[in-house]
Amino acid sequence: MPRIAYLNGQYVPHGDAMVHIEDRGYQFSDGVYEVTLALGGRLLDEDRHLARLGRSLAALDIAPPLGEPALKVAMRKLVALNRLPDALLYQQVTRGVAPRGHAFPKRPVRPALVMTVRRFDPAAVAARQTQGAAVVTVPDLRWRRCDIKSVSLLGNVLAKQAASAAGAQEAWMVDTVGVTEGASTTAWIVTQGGEVVSRQLSQSLLPGVTRAVIADALAPLGVRFVERPFTVAEAQAAAEAFFTSTTSFVMPVTSIDGQTVADGRPGPVTRAIQAAHWAHVRAATGRPQSPR
Ligand code: PLP
């Protein structure tokens, strides 16, 4: 069965889904995106993802391509058509097609909506969660509106490539204050005093959906959440470190720039947060997998 993509209202074979060469997403990165999981056919944290999509669109003055109810129907239909109960759903909205010119087109253009799905294996994530991940640090080269989930990802691409070249799984980007976030994840540490720290939201980082889910889960765990910057040195000396995202869930960090974090194994606070996140996933989607 061929993969099916959604392209401006049509459901088409993936290989036939083409966009115009003057799509402003292609020429200017003038667009935004979301990545949402479908597990057991149910969309995880859908309303949080759609709220962030709405914020990203509003920040760039791009009209929503569909009303929210119609968008939700299209998302479900695409997942069902691909017969993938566990799927990663990619959504991208660009300002649309117009003759090339930096400023917004004078004539109204229809925003372009593209959605694709691909297989997602929660059991593979659970297995990786027991291993943890190596992180390298790189300068944060990105623009100053990293709170917008823009398709302009060159800084993130270069950061992830640096991780890949170093044999690491993630790159943490560092500005003049400290770690901002991972190339495609939110960065966290656990202090020697047991506090969980992640940088406060600002225009320097993406408001992660998983970050918000974890923030809600910490108080019931009896763990204090402190939103403040931290440096690479503090992270290397921390009791634990981890990163979070829609696709990596809660991933322990075992080393930072080659320096082992604590004993190099997933720590107790990280494992408790993993378990709380899996409980959230199970409650929202009915998926049975859990890391242990
Ligand atoms: N930070 C960046 C730069 C990202 O690209 C992502 C996810 O793609 C995240 C953080 C984590 O966000 P979420 O938890 O919503 O997946």
Side-chain angles (χ1 to χ4, degrees), residues 27-182:
Q27 294 193 326
F28 294 109
S29 316
D30 189 359
V32 302
Y33 74 106
E34 275 298 324
V35 174
T36 308
L37 289 186
L39 294 174
R42 285 156 75 181
L43 289 152
L44 179 62
D45 302 320
E46 179 184 26
D47 288 333
R48 280 181 148 139
H49 283 284
L50 291 183
R52 186 171 63 186
L53 180 64
R55 275 201 310 278
S56 296
L57 289 168
L60 297 180
D61 204 10
I62 298 174
L66 286 179
E68 201 169 290
L71 182 56
K72 287 183 168 183
V73 168
M75 291 161 77
R76 280 164 182 71
K77 182 166 175 187
L78 186 65
V79 170
L81 282 175
N82 282 278
R83 295 193 204 150
L84 286 177
D86 294 339
L88 182 161
L89 170 69
Y90 176 81
Q91 300 171 287
Q92 175 174 312
V93 182
T94 67
R95 194 176 306 280
V97 175
R100 190 174 187 282
H102 285 61
F104 296 174
K106 293 231 161 38
R107 281 192 295 131
V109 287
R110 199 169 61 120
L113 170 62
V114 168
M115 296 193 283
T116 58
V117 295
R118 69 168 194 240
R119 188 178 299 282
F120 179 80
D121 182 1
V125 178
R128 281 198 294 278
Q129 282 184 314
T130 64
Q131 303 298 311
V135 160
V136 295
T137 63
V138 295
D140 193 338
L141 302 176
R142 301 173 303 159
W143 73 327
R144 291 186 210 155
R145 287 304 308 271
C146 298
D147 56 317
I148 302 171
K149 200 163 169 63
S150 147
V151 295
S152 182
L153 287 171
L154 210 39
N156 311 60
V157 166
L158 294 177
K160 195 70 106 185
Q161 176 54 27
S164 174
Q169 285 72 50
E170 182 56 305
W172 279 5
M173 299 178 284
V174 181
D175 68 6
T176 53
V177 180
V179 174
T180 51
E181 60 183 331

